[in-house]
Amino acid sequence: MSDDTYTPPEVWTWDQPSGGQFASINRPVAGATHDKELPVGDHPFQLYSLATPNGVKVTVMFEELLAAGHDAEYDAWKIDIGEGEQFGSGFVAVNPNSKIPALVDRSGAEPVRVFESGSILIHLAEKFGAFLPASGPARTETLNWLMWQMGSAPYLGGGFGHFYAYAPEKWQYPIDRFAMEAKRQLDVLNRALESRPFIAGEDYSIADMAIWPWYGQLCLGRLYSAATFLDVASYTHVMAWAERIDARKAVQRGRMVNRSFGEPHMQLHERHSAEDFDTKTQDKIGESA
């Protein structure tokens, strides 16, 4: 660590963007930076997202609903957060917090905006009566774990992931602090999954869809290149669960939607029909499309 000690000023001011890979899009105020309307497709559900872990939660949910036979067709539009598209006026109108994913449900008389990934999962689960028990202890347990993910993942992403993978310099104190918390969270999951196939019990649910894109993909080596550093292989029950969910065809499709990085055959920038997986991935239409 540096020998320099930072003394906070009496009043913090934003003199320049904070360092790191995403410095250009970080700012201390909300609201739109420019006028830009959102596109609208032909389907009842309009999703504006990117294939980050939070975005993958919702595309997996849509693909699982479709695989289960529900009429859940959707248009998925890529929001390039690196270019600040989440600060366009249309997006801010759907999500005033300027974070992906954001959904507009146009299936009723009036469009309904839904923001925050957990809220979107609950909204869809209740609308279709799927992946969330209607009542009783099983519903409560599912929501327990969904809320656990919503509260825990910022420590994994904004904490561990930021300082381990994205900060402009490596500082031992924050990496140690958040690595400890990430491992504690993995241990929480490992203990729970020792006695059940899915995180909320015997049935696959929106809790698994919320947790897997973060912790499952971490264990599968897809997040922060940190699997070895965190010794994820030692969490054997989490590893088995992660692999079980990764094998689901709907999960594999959900990972591809709004993806703009990695192997071209895994990138489907926009999704407007099931056929797009066969005809419009980047290996088929080219990087310039």
mmCIF file of all heavy atoms in Angstrom, residues 111-149:
data_model
loop_
_atom_site.group_PDB
_atom_site.id
_atom_site.type_symbol
_atom_site.label_atom_id
_atom_site.label_comp_id
_atom_site.label_asym_id
_atom_site.label_seq_id
_atom_site.Cartn_x
_atom_site.Cartn_y
_atom_site.Cartn_z
ATOM 1 N N PRO A 111 -48.707 1.401 -20.122
ATOM 2 C CA PRO A 111 -47.354 0.898 -19.876
ATOM 3 C C PRO A 111 -46.968 1.039 -18.404
ATOM 4 O O PRO A 111 -47.333 2.017 -17.748
ATOM 5 C CB PRO A 111 -46.471 1.784 -20.767
ATOM 6 C CG PRO A 111 -47.400 2.365 -21.779
ATOM 7 C CD PRO A 111 -48.726 2.507 -21.098
ATOM 8 N N VAL A 112 -46.254 0.059 -17.899
ATOM 9 C CA VAL A 112 -45.778 0.062 -16.519
ATOM 10 C C VAL A 112 -44.260 -0.016 -16.538
ATOM 11 O O VAL A 112 -43.691 -0.917 -17.167
ATOM 12 C CB VAL A 112 -46.349 -1.131 -15.729
ATOM 13 C CG1 VAL A 112 -45.761 -1.175 -14.323
ATOM 14 C CG2 VAL A 112 -47.873 -1.041 -15.663
ATOM 15 N N ARG A 113 -43.600 0.921 -15.889
ATOM 16 C CA ARG A 113 -42.150 0.845 -15.799
ATOM 17 C C ARG A 113 -41.770 -0.006 -14.584
ATOM 18 O O ARG A 113 -42.416 0.045 -13.537
ATOM 19 C CB ARG A 113 -41.523 2.230 -15.696
ATOM 20 C CG ARG A 113 -41.707 2.909 -14.337
ATOM 21 C CD ARG A 113 -40.976 4.240 -14.287
ATOM 22 N NE ARG A 113 -41.006 4.820 -12.945
ATOM 23 C CZ ARG A 113 -40.450 5.987 -12.618
ATOM 24 N NH1 ARG A 113 -39.828 6.708 -13.542
ATOM 25 N NH2 ARG A 113 -40.512 6.438 -11.371
ATOM 26 N N VAL A 114 -40.724 -0.796 -14.744
ATOM 27 C CA VAL A 114 -40.230 -1.637 -13.660
ATOM 28 C C VAL A 114 -38.712 -1.512 -13.655
ATOM 29 O O VAL A 114 -38.060 -1.829 -14.657
ATOM 30 C CB VAL A 114 -40.623 -3.121 -13.832
ATOM 31 C CG1 VAL A 114 -40.419 -3.872 -12.524
ATOM 32 C CG2 VAL A 114 -42.064 -3.270 -14.311
ATOM 33 N N PHE A 115 -38.157 -1.031 -12.562
ATOM 34 C CA PHE A 115 -36.698 -0.955 -12.470
ATOM 35 C C PHE A 115 -36.216 -1.614 -11.185
ATOM 36 O O PHE A 115 -37.001 -1.838 -10.278
ATOM 37 C CB PHE A 115 -36.189 0.483 -12.599
ATOM 38 C CG PHE A 115 -36.680 1.446 -11.553
ATOM 39 C CD1 PHE A 115 -35.977 1.630 -10.367
ATOM 40 C CD2 PHE A 115 -37.826 2.206 -11.763
ATOM 41 C CE1 PHE A 115 -36.407 2.537 -9.408
ATOM 42 C CE2 PHE A 115 -38.267 3.117 -10.821
ATOM 43 C CZ PHE A 115 -37.560 3.282 -9.623
ATOM 44 N N GLU A 116 -34.927 -1.918 -11.164
ATOM 45 C CA GLU A 116 -34.240 -2.783 -10.203
ATOM 46 C C GLU A 116 -34.511 -4.239 -10.584
ATOM 47 O O GLU A 116 -35.652 -4.672 -10.732
ATOM 48 C CB GLU A 116 -34.631 -2.516 -8.753
ATOM 49 C CG GLU A 116 -34.123 -1.199 -8.210
ATOM 50 C CD GLU A 116 -32.583 -1.130 -8.163
ATOM 51 O OE1 GLU A 116 -31.922 -2.181 -7.949
ATOM 52 O OE2 GLU A 116 -32.041 -0.024 -8.338
ATOM 53 N N SER A 117 -33.435 -4.990 -10.732
ATOM 54 C CA SER A 117 -33.534 -6.351 -11.248
ATOM 55 C C SER A 117 -34.418 -7.237 -10.365
ATOM 56 O O SER A 117 -35.196 -8.055 -10.875
ATOM 57 C CB SER A 117 -32.143 -6.968 -11.388
ATOM 58 O OG SER A 117 -31.443 -6.929 -10.149
ATOM 59 N N GLY A 118 -34.323 -7.088 -9.054
ATOM 60 C CA GLY A 118 -35.159 -7.891 -8.167
ATOM 61 C C GLY A 118 -36.630 -7.588 -8.357
ATOM 62 O O GLY A 118 -37.478 -8.494 -8.349
ATOM 63 N N SER A 119 -36.951 -6.306 -8.522
ATOM 64 C CA SER A 119 -38.337 -5.919 -8.754
ATOM 65 C C SER A 119 -38.847 -6.494 -10.075
ATOM 66 O O SER A 119 -40.000 -6.953 -10.165
ATOM 67 C CB SER A 119 -38.460 -4.393 -8.757
ATOM 68 O OG SER A 119 -39.788 -3.980 -8.976
ATOM 69 N N ILE A 120 -38.005 -6.492 -11.104
ATOM 70 C CA ILE A 120 -38.404 -7.054 -12.396
ATOM 71 C C ILE A 120 -38.671 -8.554 -12.264
ATOM 72 O O ILE A 120 -39.664 -9.071 -12.801
ATOM 73 C CB ILE A 120 -37.328 -6.776 -13.468
ATOM 74 C CG1 ILE A 120 -37.189 -5.262 -13.701
ATOM 75 C CG2 ILE A 120 -37.679 -7.484 -14.771
ATOM 76 C CD1 ILE A 120 -36.032 -4.880 -14.603
ATOM 77 N N LEU A 121 -37.805 -9.258 -11.547
ATOM 78 C CA LEU A 121 -38.011 -10.697 -11.362
ATOM 79 C C LEU A 121 -39.329 -10.984 -10.657
ATOM 80 O O LEU A 121 -40.082 -11.882 -11.050
ATOM 81 C CB LEU A 121 -36.843 -11.297 -10.577
ATOM 82 C CG LEU A 121 -35.489 -11.359 -11.280
ATOM 83 C CD1 LEU A 121 -34.433 -11.906 -10.338
ATOM 84 C CD2 LEU A 121 -35.554 -12.194 -12.551
ATOM 85 N N ILE A 122 -39.620 -10.239 -9.604
ATOM 86 C CA ILE A 122 -40.879 -10.435 -8.877
ATOM 87 C C ILE A 122 -42.066 -10.096 -9.778
ATOM 88 O O ILE A 122 -43.069 -10.822 -9.810
ATOM 89 C CB ILE A 122 -40.900 -9.592 -7.594
ATOM 90 C CG1 ILE A 122 -39.851 -10.094 -6.602
ATOM 91 C CG2 ILE A 122 -42.285 -9.636 -6.946
ATOM 92 C CD1 ILE A 122 -39.660 -9.185 -5.394
ATOM 93 N N HIS A 123 -41.963 -8.992 -10.501
ATOM 94 C CA HIS A 123 -43.050 -8.575 -11.393
ATOM 95 C C HIS A 123 -43.387 -9.667 -12.407
ATOM 96 O O HIS A 123 -44.560 -10.027 -12.588
ATOM 97 C CB HIS A 123 -42.639 -7.289 -12.116
ATOM 98 C CG HIS A 123 -43.636 -6.796 -13.111
ATOM 99 N ND1 HIS A 123 -44.739 -6.059 -12.757
ATOM 100 C CD2 HIS A 123 -43.704 -6.940 -14.469
ATOM 101 C CE1 HIS A 123 -45.455 -5.760 -13.838
ATOM 102 N NE2 HIS A 123 -44.833 -6.278 -14.895
ATOM 103 N N LEU A 124 -42.376 -10.221 -13.038
ATOM 104 C CA LEU A 124 -42.595 -11.256 -14.047
ATOM 105 C C LEU A 124 -43.073 -12.554 -13.411
ATOM 106 O O LEU A 124 -43.956 -13.238 -13.952
ATOM 107 C CB LEU A 124 -41.321 -11.483 -14.844
ATOM 108 C CG LEU A 124 -40.870 -10.316 -15.726
ATOM 109 C CD1 LEU A 124 -39.500 -10.606 -16.333
ATOM 110 C CD2 LEU A 124 -41.889 -10.024 -16.828
ATOM 111 N N ALA A 125 -42.495 -12.905 -12.261
ATOM 112 C CA ALA A 125 -42.897 -14.139 -11.590
ATOM 113 C C ALA A 125 -44.375 -14.095 -11.202
ATOM 114 O O ALA A 125 -45.116 -15.077 -11.369
ATOM 115 C CB ALA A 125 -42.033 -14.372 -10.357
ATOM 116 N N GLU A 126 -44.815 -12.958 -10.694
ATOM 117 C CA GLU A 126 -46.213 -12.831 -10.292
ATOM 118 C C GLU A 126 -47.143 -12.744 -11.500
ATOM 119 O O GLU A 126 -48.254 -13.274 -11.478
ATOM 120 C CB GLU A 126 -46.373 -11.606 -9.387
ATOM 121 C CG GLU A 126 -45.694 -11.791 -8.031
ATOM 122 C CD GLU A 126 -45.904 -10.629 -7.092
ATOM 123 O OE1 GLU A 126 -46.154 -9.503 -7.578
ATOM 124 O OE2 GLU A 126 -45.804 -10.837 -5.862
ATOM 125 N N LYS A 127 -46.682 -12.101 -12.550
ATOM 126 C CA LYS A 127 -47.512 -11.968 -13.748
ATOM 127 C C LYS A 127 -47.799 -13.323 -14.380
ATOM 128 O O LYS A 127 -48.913 -13.589 -14.848
ATOM 129 C CB LYS A 127 -46.814 -11.059 -14.752
ATOM 130 C CG LYS A 127 -47.704 -10.629 -15.912
ATOM 131 C CD LYS A 127 -47.017 -9.600 -16.763
ATOM 132 C CE LYS A 127 -48.005 -8.923 -17.699
ATOM 133 N NZ LYS A 127 -48.906 -7.982 -17.026
ATOM 134 N N PHE A 128 -46.785 -14.202 -14.383
ATOM 135 C CA PHE A 128 -46.933 -15.496 -15.046
ATOM 136 C C PHE A 128 -47.144 -16.657 -14.069
ATOM 137 O O PHE A 128 -47.332 -17.791 -14.504
ATOM 138 C CB PHE A 128 -45.709 -15.770 -15.922
ATOM 139 C CG PHE A 128 -45.619 -14.867 -17.114
ATOM 140 C CD1 PHE A 128 -44.773 -13.764 -17.106
ATOM 141 C CD2 PHE A 128 -46.410 -15.088 -18.231
ATOM 142 C CE1 PHE A 128 -44.701 -12.905 -18.204
ATOM 143 C CE2 PHE A 128 -46.343 -14.247 -19.338
ATOM 144 C CZ PHE A 128 -45.493 -13.146 -19.322
ATOM 145 N N GLY A 129 -47.105 -16.370 -12.778
ATOM 146 C CA GLY A 129 -47.284 -17.441 -11.798
ATOM 147 C C GLY A 129 -46.201 -18.496 -11.894
ATOM 148 O O GLY A 129 -46.485 -19.700 -11.839
ATOM 149 N N ALA A 130 -44.961 -18.055 -12.032
ATOM 150 C CA ALA A 130 -43.866 -18.994 -12.276
ATOM 151 C C ALA A 130 -42.623 -18.595 -11.485
ATOM 152 O O ALA A 130 -42.337 -17.411 -11.317
ATOM 153 C CB ALA A 130 -43.528 -19.039 -13.762
ATOM 154 N N PHE A 131 -41.895 -19.611 -10.996
ATOM 155 C CA PHE A 131 -40.588 -19.460 -10.344
ATOM 156 C C PHE A 131 -40.653 -18.675 -9.033
ATOM 157 O O PHE A 131 -39.610 -18.233 -8.536
ATOM 158 C CB PHE A 131 -39.576 -18.823 -11.310
ATOM 159 C CG PHE A 131 -39.425 -19.587 -12.588
ATOM 160 C CD1 PHE A 131 -39.824 -19.029 -13.798
ATOM 161 C CD2 PHE A 131 -38.903 -20.880 -12.592
ATOM 162 C CE1 PHE A 131 -39.698 -19.739 -14.984
ATOM 163 C CE2 PHE A 131 -38.772 -21.594 -13.781
ATOM 164 C CZ PHE A 131 -39.172 -21.027 -14.974
ATOM 165 N N LEU A 132 -41.845 -18.506 -8.486
ATOM 166 C CA LEU A 132 -42.026 -17.885 -7.173
ATOM 167 C C LEU A 132 -43.307 -18.443 -6.582
ATOM 168 O O LEU A 132 -44.393 -18.202 -7.144
ATOM 169 C CB LEU A 132 -42.110 -16.361 -7.290
ATOM 170 C CG LEU A 132 -42.451 -15.594 -6.000
ATOM 171 C CD1 LEU A 132 -41.334 -15.773 -4.967
ATOM 172 C CD2 LEU A 132 -42.676 -14.109 -6.288
ATOM 173 N N PRO A 133 -43.233 -19.183 -5.487
ATOM 174 C CA PRO A 133 -44.465 -19.705 -4.884
ATOM 175 C C PRO A 133 -45.448 -18.583 -4.573
ATOM 176 O O PRO A 133 -45.050 -17.469 -4.215
ATOM 177 C CB PRO A 133 -43.965 -20.388 -3.608
ATOM 178 C CG PRO A 133 -42.544 -20.771 -3.918
ATOM 179 C CD PRO A 133 -42.025 -19.651 -4.774
ATOM 180 N N ALA A 134 -46.722 -18.872 -4.700
ATOM 181 C CA ALA A 134 -47.752 -17.848 -4.535
ATOM 182 C C ALA A 134 -47.909 -17.398 -3.095
ATOM 183 O O ALA A 134 -48.319 -16.247 -2.852
ATOM 184 C CB ALA A 134 -49.085 -18.384 -5.063
ATOM 185 N N SER A 135 -47.624 -18.285 -2.148
ATOM 186 C CA SER A 135 -47.829 -17.932 -0.742
ATOM 187 C C SER A 135 -47.069 -18.907 0.149
ATOM 188 O O SER A 135 -46.476 -19.878 -0.343
ATOM 189 C CB SER A 135 -49.327 -17.967 -0.393
ATOM 190 O OG SER A 135 -49.844 -19.283 -0.580
ATOM 191 N N GLY A 136 -47.094 -18.624 1.431
ATOM 192 C CA GLY A 136 -46.560 -19.549 2.413
ATOM 193 C C GLY A 136 -45.060 -19.480 2.612
ATOM 194 O O GLY A 136 -44.368 -18.614 2.065
ATOM 195 N N PRO A 137 -44.529 -20.415 3.417
ATOM 196 C CA PRO A 137 -43.108 -20.414 3.757
ATOM 197 C C PRO A 137 -42.181 -20.508 2.544
ATOM 198 O O PRO A 137 -41.094 -19.925 2.552
ATOM 199 C CB PRO A 137 -42.966 -21.647 4.661
ATOM 200 C CG PRO A 137 -44.325 -21.843 5.247
ATOM 201 C CD PRO A 137 -45.281 -21.431 4.171
ATOM 202 N N ALA A 138 -42.611 -21.239 1.506
ATOM 203 C CA ALA A 138 -41.744 -21.379 0.328
ATOM 204 C C ALA A 138 -41.556 -20.036 -0.373
ATOM 205 O O ALA A 138 -40.458 -19.727 -0.869
ATOM 206 C CB ALA A 138 -42.328 -22.409 -0.638
ATOM 207 N N ARG A 139 -42.626 -19.227 -0.429
ATOM 208 C CA ARG A 139 -42.503 -17.896 -1.021
ATOM 209 C C ARG A 139 -41.566 -17.025 -0.182
ATOM 210 O O ARG A 139 -40.686 -16.338 -0.713
ATOM 211 C CB ARG A 139 -43.877 -17.235 -1.126
ATOM 212 C CG ARG A 139 -43.825 -15.805 -1.674
ATOM 213 C CD ARG A 139 -45.199 -15.152 -1.673
ATOM 214 N NE ARG A 139 -45.128 -13.765 -2.104
ATOM 215 C CZ ARG A 139 -45.197 -13.363 -3.374
ATOM 216 N NH1 ARG A 139 -45.322 -14.258 -4.330
ATOM 217 N NH2 ARG A 139 -45.131 -12.088 -3.690
ATOM 218 N N THR A 140 -41.768 -17.076 1.135
ATOM 219 C CA THR A 140 -40.923 -16.271 2.018
ATOM 220 C C THR A 140 -39.458 -16.658 1.882
ATOM 221 O O THR A 140 -38.577 -15.799 1.810
ATOM 222 C CB THR A 140 -41.382 -16.431 3.469
ATOM 223 O OG1 THR A 140 -42.744 -15.984 3.588
ATOM 224 C CG2 THR A 140 -40.507 -15.609 4.413
ATOM 225 N N GLU A 141 -39.172 -17.959 1.812
ATOM 226 C CA GLU A 141 -37.785 -18.402 1.685
ATOM 227 C C GLU A 141 -37.172 -17.941 0.360
ATOM 228 O O GLU A 141 -36.006 -17.532 0.315
ATOM 229 C CB GLU A 141 -37.706 -19.925 1.811
ATOM 230 C CG GLU A 141 -36.298 -20.501 1.754
ATOM 231 C CD GLU A 141 -35.439 -20.195 2.977
ATOM 232 O OE1 GLU A 141 -35.874 -19.432 3.867
ATOM 233 O OE2 GLU A 141 -34.312 -20.736 3.040
ATOM 234 N N THR A 142 -37.956 -17.980 -0.700
ATOM 235 C CA THR A 142 -37.464 -17.504 -1.992
ATOM 236 C C THR A 142 -37.134 -16.014 -1.929
ATOM 237 O O THR A 142 -36.074 -15.582 -2.400
ATOM 238 C CB THR A 142 -38.506 -17.768 -3.092
ATOM 239 O OG1 THR A 142 -38.786 -19.163 -3.156
ATOM 240 C CG2 THR A 142 -38.001 -17.295 -4.447
ATOM 241 N N LEU A 143 -38.023 -15.236 -1.336
ATOM 242 C CA LEU A 143 -37.778 -13.799 -1.220
ATOM 243 C C LEU A 143 -36.641 -13.502 -0.256
ATOM 244 O O LEU A 143 -35.905 -12.518 -0.441
ATOM 245 C CB LEU A 143 -39.061 -13.082 -0.789
ATOM 246 C CG LEU A 143 -40.196 -13.120 -1.819
ATOM 247 C CD1 LEU A 143 -41.448 -12.441 -1.260
ATOM 248 C CD2 LEU A 143 -39.773 -12.458 -3.133
ATOM 249 N N ASN A 144 -36.481 -14.337 0.787
ATOM 250 C CA ASN A 144 -35.326 -14.175 1.684
ATOM 251 C C ASN A 144 -34.027 -14.163 0.873
ATOM 252 O O ASN A 144 -33.169 -13.289 1.039
ATOM 253 C CB ASN A 144 -35.250 -15.338 2.678
ATOM 254 C CG ASN A 144 -36.271 -15.273 3.774
ATOM 255 O OD1 ASN A 144 -36.867 -14.221 4.044
ATOM 256 N ND2 ASN A 144 -36.497 -16.402 4.442
ATOM 257 N N TRP A 145 -33.891 -15.152 0.002
ATOM 258 C CA TRP A 145 -32.651 -15.297 -0.750
ATOM 259 C C TRP A 145 -32.524 -14.264 -1.866
ATOM 260 O O TRP A 145 -31.415 -13.816 -2.179
ATOM 261 C CB TRP A 145 -32.518 -16.721 -1.298
ATOM 262 C CG TRP A 145 -32.132 -17.679 -0.218
ATOM 263 C CD1 TRP A 145 -32.935 -18.601 0.395
ATOM 264 C CD2 TRP A 145 -30.851 -17.766 0.411
ATOM 265 N NE1 TRP A 145 -32.222 -19.269 1.365
ATOM 266 C CE2 TRP A 145 -30.947 -18.778 1.398
ATOM 267 C CE3 TRP A 145 -29.636 -17.107 0.248
ATOM 268 C CZ2 TRP A 145 -29.862 -19.141 2.207
ATOM 269 C CZ3 TRP A 145 -28.554 -17.455 1.045
ATOM 270 C CH2 TRP A 145 -28.671 -18.462 2.009
ATOM 271 N N LEU A 146 -33.648 -13.868 -2.444
ATOM 272 C CA LEU A 146 -33.590 -12.793 -3.433
ATOM 273 C C LEU A 146 -33.079 -11.516 -2.777
ATOM 274 O O LEU A 146 -32.193 -10.832 -3.320
ATOM 275 C CB LEU A 146 -34.974 -12.560 -4.042
ATOM 276 C CG LEU A 146 -35.086 -11.373 -5.015
ATOM 277 C CD1 LEU A 146 -34.198 -11.574 -6.239
ATOM 278 C CD2 LEU A 146 -36.537 -11.164 -5.430
ATOM 279 N N MET A 147 -33.616 -11.178 -1.604
ATOM 280 C CA MET A 147 -33.172 -9.971 -0.901
ATOM 281 C C MET A 147 -31.741 -10.108 -0.396
ATOM 282 O O MET A 147 -30.988 -9.128 -0.359
ATOM 283 C CB MET A 147 -34.129 -9.645 0.247
ATOM 284 C CG MET A 147 -35.545 -9.378 -0.214
ATOM 285 S SD MET A 147 -35.633 -8.080 -1.495
ATOM 286 C CE MET A 147 -37.246 -8.421 -2.208
ATOM 287 N N TRP A 148 -31.344 -11.328 -0.057
ATOM 288 C CA TRP A 148 -29.944 -11.557 0.326
ATOM 289 C C TRP A 148 -29.025 -11.171 -0.826
ATOM 290 O O TRP A 148 -28.023 -10.493 -0.627
ATOM 291 C CB TRP A 148 -29.729 -13.028 0.695
ATOM 292 C CG TRP A 148 -28.308 -13.364 1.030
ATOM 293 C CD1 TRP A 148 -27.702 -13.265 2.250
ATOM 294 C CD2 TRP A 148 -27.285 -13.819 0.111
ATOM 295 N NE1 TRP A 148 -26.373 -13.628 2.153
ATOM 296 C CE2 TRP A 148 -26.097 -13.970 0.855
ATOM 297 C CE3 TRP A 148 -27.271 -14.104 -1.246
ATOM 298 C CZ2 TRP A 148 -24.903 -14.410 0.272
ATOM 299 C CZ3 TRP A 148 -26.093 -14.532 -1.829
ATOM 300 C CH2 TRP A 148 -24.919 -14.693 -1.074
ATOM 301 N N GLN A 149 -29.387 -11.597 -2.015
ATOM 302 C CA GLN A 149 -28.552 -11.256 -3.171
ATOM 303 C C GLN A 149 -28.510 -9.752 -3.404
ATOM 304 O O GLN A 149 -27.437 -9.194 -3.653
ATOM 305 C CB GLN A 149 -29.082 -11.973 -4.418
ATOM 306 C CG GLN A 149 -28.215 -11.779 -5.656
ATOM 307 C CD GLN A 149 -28.472 -10.465 -6.372
ATOM 308 O OE1 GLN A 149 -29.622 -10.058 -6.529
ATOM 309 N NE2 GLN A 149 -27.414 -9.792 -6.787
#
